[in-house]
């Protein structure tokens, strides 16, 4: 219990210290709010704009991230499962996944926009392309290293390839699968912001770009804070699910 309490208190204390130093520096050096707003100004802007403007964009981003994520994870799982069973497929698919993972989605959005137009579907597609590779590659790492003794026993009993996969390989790889899913929450949020900025049509990234264009820096920061909290929310949901599913971890 003490360790859990420390894991909660330590980050909170760090955040409080950073905010306090930030506030003192901005006020002490009289930095313009348009250049770098103080936390107090960001908080005031958040209270002012959330119920009138930001909440609408928050709903759009939550919806896009949710649908993109729940589509990406099963696709990633299937890709990783098939790759783990067939080496030739691994050699064919892995380079594509790596390219997608390291390619900034903001560079692809304008190209997709030419063919698909500015729509929520395009944003969801961007999130899928960002989340799928990281979940698939992390899952594949786990699937590639099943306990050899357990596999040998099941083979001796006459179990088939996919029977062994679901009885031994998949349960053993659950920590890596969840790690990929947690990383997917972070990358999905980032991809959502990038898509909002490039595509428009609402969303937290779109709202940040609008505020920035009018030098409403405090409001832009407030929206970024909300976006960060969205990423943390999705991450914590997956992390909590992991603790419930993997009792032995």
């Amino acid at each position: 219990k003490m360790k859990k309490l420390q894991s909660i208190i330590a980050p909170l204390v760090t955040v409080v210290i950073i905010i306090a130093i930030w506030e003192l520096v901005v006020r002490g050096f009289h930095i313009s709010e348009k250049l770098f707003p103080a936390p107090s100004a960001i908080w005031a802007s958040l209270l002012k704009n959330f119920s009138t403007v930001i909440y609408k964009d928050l709903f759009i981003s939550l919806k896009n991230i949710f649908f993109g994520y729940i589509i990406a994870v099963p696709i990633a799982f299937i890709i990783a499962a098939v790759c783990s069973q067939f080496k030739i497929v691994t050699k064919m698919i892995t380079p594509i996944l790596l390219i997608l993972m390291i390619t900034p989605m903001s560079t692809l959005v304008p190209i997709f926009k030419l063919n698909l137009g500015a729509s929520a579907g395009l944003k969801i597609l961007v999130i899928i392309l960002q989340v799928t590779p990281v979940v698939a590659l992390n899952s594949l790492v786990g699937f590639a290293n099943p306990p050899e003794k357990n596999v040998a026993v099941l083979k001796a009993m006459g179990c088939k390839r996919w029977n062994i996969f679901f009885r031994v390989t998949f349960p053993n790889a659950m920590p890596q699968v969840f790690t990929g899913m947690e990383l997917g929450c972070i990358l999905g949020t980032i991809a959502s912001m990038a898509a909002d900025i490039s595509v428009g049509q609402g969303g937290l990234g779109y709202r940040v770009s609008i505020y920035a264009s009018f030098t409403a820096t405090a409001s832009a920061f407030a929206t970024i804070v909300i976006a960060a909290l969205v990423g943390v929310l999705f991450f914590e949901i997956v992390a909590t699910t992991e603790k419930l599913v993997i009792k032995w971890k």
Side-chain angles (χ1 to χ4, degrees):
K1 289 183 178 180
M2 183 59 70
K3 288 183 178 180
K4 288 183 178 179
L5 190 62
Q6 288 177 347
S7 66
I8 295 172
I9 293 175
L12 289 176
V13 171
T14 303
V15 170
V16 170
I17 292 172
I18 292 172
I19 291 174
I21 294 173
W22 181 352
E23 184 80 24
L24 290 171
V25 168
V26 172
R27 289 182 178 274
F29 289 94
H30 304 288
I31 299 173
S32 170
E33 184 179 309
K34 291 185 177 181
L35 294 177
F36 195 61
S40 57
I42 295 171
W43 176 249
S45 178
L46 180 60
L47 293 178
K48 178 183 177 182
N49 295 314
F50 183 82
S51 61
T52 55
V53 179
I54 297 176
Y55 86 94
K56 298 176 183 178
D57 296 294
L58 171 61
F59 178 75
I60 292 171
S61 291
L62 283 172
K63 181 182 67 175
N64 292 338
I65 295 170
F66 175 76
F67 283 112
Y69 189 84
I70 63 170
I71 293 171
V73 170
I75 293 173
F77 176 81
I78 293 170
I79 291 172
V82 173
C83 286
S84 70
Q85 301 302 306
F86 304 99
K87 291 184 178 180
I88 184 64
V89 178
T90 303
K91 293 179 180 179
M92 293 169 59
I93 300 297
T94 301
I96 299 173
L97 294 175
L98 289 171
I99 290 171
L100 283 173
M101 192 164 69
I102 64 176
T103 302
M105 287 297 111
S106 57
T107 62
L108 297 179
V109 173
I111 299 173
F112 292 148
K113 194 175 177 181
L114 290 173
N115 298 299
L116 302 176
S119 64
L122 174 55
K123 295 182 182 182
I124 293 172
L125 174 61
V126 170
I127 295 167
I128 292 170
L129 291 176
Q130 188 78 81
V131 174
T132 299
V134 69
V135 178
L137 289 172
N138 274 275
S139 300
L140 183 56
V141 170
F143 295 160
N145 298 286
E148 294 183 4
K149 290 183 180 180
N150 294 13
V151 172
V153 169
L154 289 180
K155 283 184 177 179
M157 293 172 62
C159 291
K160 301 299 182 181
R161 183 196 302 269
W162 289 107
N163 199 338
I164 294 173
F165 175 83
F166 284 108
R167 287 192 175 191
V168 176
T169 305
F170 176 62
N172 182 71
M174 288 294 280
Q176 288 83 4
V177 173
F178 273 105
T179 298
M181 291 172 64
E182 289 165 356
L183 292 172
C185 294
I186 298 169
L187 294 179
T189 304
I190 295 171
S192 173
M193 293 289 286
D196 288 341
I197 293 170
S198 299
V199 177
Q201 306 294 319
L204 293 173
Y206 169 77
R207 185 54 51 192
V208 170
S209 66
I210 293 298
Y211 281 139
S213 66
F214 288 100
T215 62
T217 314
S219 298
F221 267 89
T223 310
I224 292 170
V225 168
I226 295 298
L229 291 176
V230 167
V232 171
L233 172 64
F234 278 105
F235 182 94
E236 287 300 324
I237 290 172
V238 175
T240 302
T241 305
E242 179 183 10
K243 291 176 183 178
L244 294 174
V245 172
I246 308 177
K247 299 288 187 180
W248 47 265
K249 186 175 179 183

